[in-house]
Amino acid sequence: MKNLFTTSPHYPRTRMRRNRGNVFSKLISAESALSVNDLIMPLFVVEGKGVSQSIESMPNIFRYSPDKVLKVVEKIVSLEIPAIALFPKIEDSLKDKSGSLAYNSDNLICETVRLIKSEFPNLGVICDVALDPYTDHGHDGLLINDQIDNDETIKALVKQSLVQAEAGCDAIAPSDMMDGRVSAIRDALDSKGLKDTQIISYAAKYASSFYGPFREAVGSNNLKNVIDKSSYQMNPANSDEAMREISLDINEGSDMIIIKPGMPYLDIIYRAQKEFNFPILAYQVSGEYSMIFHISKKGYIDYEKAVLESLIGFKRAGACGILSYFSLDAAKMLKNT
Ligand code: PBG
């Protein structure tokens, strides 16, 4: 790059604006592209019938009961969005210390997966693996003597993965950040004949404040305290550590990896793509969604342009796909252009 710059002629012979002047050259010289194929829509599900609940922290995003989710999924499929990621909101009375509903094959998520898959077998269905929607303390893992116990948590995550895979989801997405869980989940899936179920692991997930609105959405914000997950989620200061996490997950058998949050961590996506050349998904999380949503509602930025700009940024950085709450809207925008 440096060489090219120093050896190429300068202004006025070189005019960078020439390629930007014509529609054709702008199109042809584009270095990355965003398409509907890149998008994954996260969806929140809640028990009941005919329910669609608004979420205060995430305007325009709803929690749907399984029958209502089907209607939204129909829209998603008609827009040709390739996949969804499901997250449950569990009633407080059904939560316990060990998050036992997570590994009950009749739970809300398994029921929803079976329903969606029976109607839309070709839509990719990704299920989160972590205990936080199910535990009364709101942590992703099992609390033993006030500590999140890695190895006991893995046993629960394996059981959760198996019920979800048996319900028919295409991919298991562990978002818990326990050590060694990808390998344990792969072994368990294989031993049950679920060799085709993919693992899309959150390899580098940071302890981020940008998850705030999500925690309201799934009701995991226990006791009005902000839960400290920093004993398992990563320190935002670290990048080398993310590369180690990613390399471990790839070696343990992940089929794709997720980097999360998105916009504050574009350097991690870029670096991981350069180092591993492996399918990387960006997760544009709830706080990023709310930020863009609110500032555009205030009229300070253009909603559509800002959404598309934020999404192409992930592609430019090196992600092959994006989990984003804007997916439905973005797909509509992309269809119209
Ligand atoms: C928890 C989980 C979180 C998100 C997805 N899975 C939040 C957390 O770790 O507390 C966040 C997603 C978002 O903010 O959009 N397993």
Side-chain angles (χ1 to χ4, degrees), residues 39-43 69 72-73 76-77 81-87 112-113 116 123-127 170-171 323:
L39 302 174
I40 297 170
M41 180 72 191
L43 291 173
V69 138
V72 180
V73 166
I76 288 170
V77 169
I81 295 173
I84 58 170
L86 294 175
F87 297 97
T112 308
V113 169
I116 293 174
L123 175 73
V125 176
I126 302 168
C127 282
D170 299 282
L323 291 111

Side-chain angles (χ1 to χ4, degrees), residues 17-320:
R17 293 180 57 194
R18 260 187 229 120
N19 282 348
R20 299 180 199 137
N22 285 329
V23 174
F24 98 87
S25 57
K26 213 182 248 180
L27 287 171
I28 283 188
S29 63
E31 297 172 38
S32 44
L34 177 70
S35 98
V36 172
N37 293 344
D38 303 321
L39 302 174
I40 297 170
M41 180 72 191
L43 291 173
F44 298 110
V45 284
V46 69
E47 212 74 62
K49 236 182 157 14
V51 182
S52 77
Q53 296 172 347
S54 57
I55 301 165
E56 201 191 322
S57 58
M58 300 181 74
N60 261 5
I61 301 291
F62 298 84
R63 300 182 198 101
Y64 299 105
S65 54
D67 58 320
K68 283 272 186 179
V69 138
L70 266 193
K71 298 272 174 248
V72 180
V73 166
E74 205 177 307
K75 248 186 258 167
I76 288 170
V77 169
S78 71
L79 285 163
E80 297 177 303
I81 295 173
I84 58 170
L86 294 175
F87 297 97
K89 159 98 161 62
I90 302 299
E91 272 174 46
D92 283 350
S93 64
L94 298 175
K95 296 181 184 183
D96 58 24
K97 194 162 184 269
S98 55
S100 53
L101 190 63
Y103 30 96
N104 179 332
S105 60
D106 291 323
N107 70 19
L108 175 62
I109 283 293
C110 293
E111 181 202 342
T112 308
V113 169
R114 284 189 286 265
L115 194 64
I116 293 174
K117 274 292 171 184
S118 69
E119 297 275 329
F120 302 101
N122 296 326
L123 175 73
V125 176
I126 302 168
C127 282
D128 203 72
V129 166
L131 302 178
D132 53 319
Y134 304 95
T135 51
D136 52 18
H137 44 73
H139 276 291
D140 293 24
L142 296 176
L143 259 185
I144 297 172
N145 301 328
D146 278 337
Q147 307 266 354
I148 299 298
D149 187 301
N150 192 89
D151 302 359
E152 287 304 311
T153 299
I154 288 183
K155 293 178 195 160
L157 299 175
V158 161
K159 288 192 275 177
Q160 183 183 20
S161 302
L162 286 176
V163 295
Q164 295 183 151
E166 276 158 3
C169 73
D170 299 282
I172 291 295
S175 70
D176 53 283
M177 289 299 280
M178 296 300 121
D179 289 317
R181 86 285 206 218
V182 171
S183 180
I185 293 170
R186 186 70 272 159
D187 286 347
L189 291 171
D190 288 354
S191 74
K192 296 276 181 188
L194 295 159
K195 66 177 176 16
D196 293 327
T197 306
Q198 288 161 270
I199 299 179
I200 304 179
S201 67
Y202 293 77
K205 176 171 176 182
Y206 288 85
S208 171
S209 358
F210 290 95
Y211 307 146
F214 174 95
R215 292 184 189 167
E216 191 218 319
V218 301
S220 66
N221 244 345
N222 182 44
L223 304 173
K224 292 158 207 86
N225 293 327
V226 175
I227 304 169
D228 179 8
K229 298 191 177 184
S230 61
S231 80
Y232 44 104
Q233 298 180 348
M234 283 182 54
N235 178 351
N238 295 353
S239 169
D240 290 342
E241 186 188 357
M243 298 308 115
R244 291 181 66 205
E245 284 283 7
I246 292 165
S247 114
L248 286 166
D249 277 18
I250 293 174
N251 283 313
E252 287 182 34
S254 281
D255 298 292
M256 301 187 204
I257 58 122
I258 301 176
I259 291 170
K260 175 182 182 181
M263 287 159 69
Y265 298 90
L266 288 173
D267 59 315
I268 306 298
I269 297 173
Y270 180 78
R271 184 172 170 193
Q273 169 54 31
K274 291 275 173 271
E275 289 195 18
F276 300 105
N277 196 19
F278 193 77
I280 297 169
L281 305 179
Y283 198 138
Q284 185 178 47
V285 301
S286 56
E288 301 174 63
Y289 170 85
S290 293
M291 240 172 16
I292 293 176
F293 188 93
H294 280 111
I295 195 171
S296 62
K297 277 291 149 242
K298 286 263 180 197
Y300 296 128
I301 61 175
D302 180 90
Y303 176 74
E304 297 206 350
K305 286 191 181 136
V307 166
L308 294 178
E309 182 181 338
S310 70
L311 296 174
I312 195 84
F314 295 120
K315 294 297 301 291
R316 191 190 63 240
C320 64

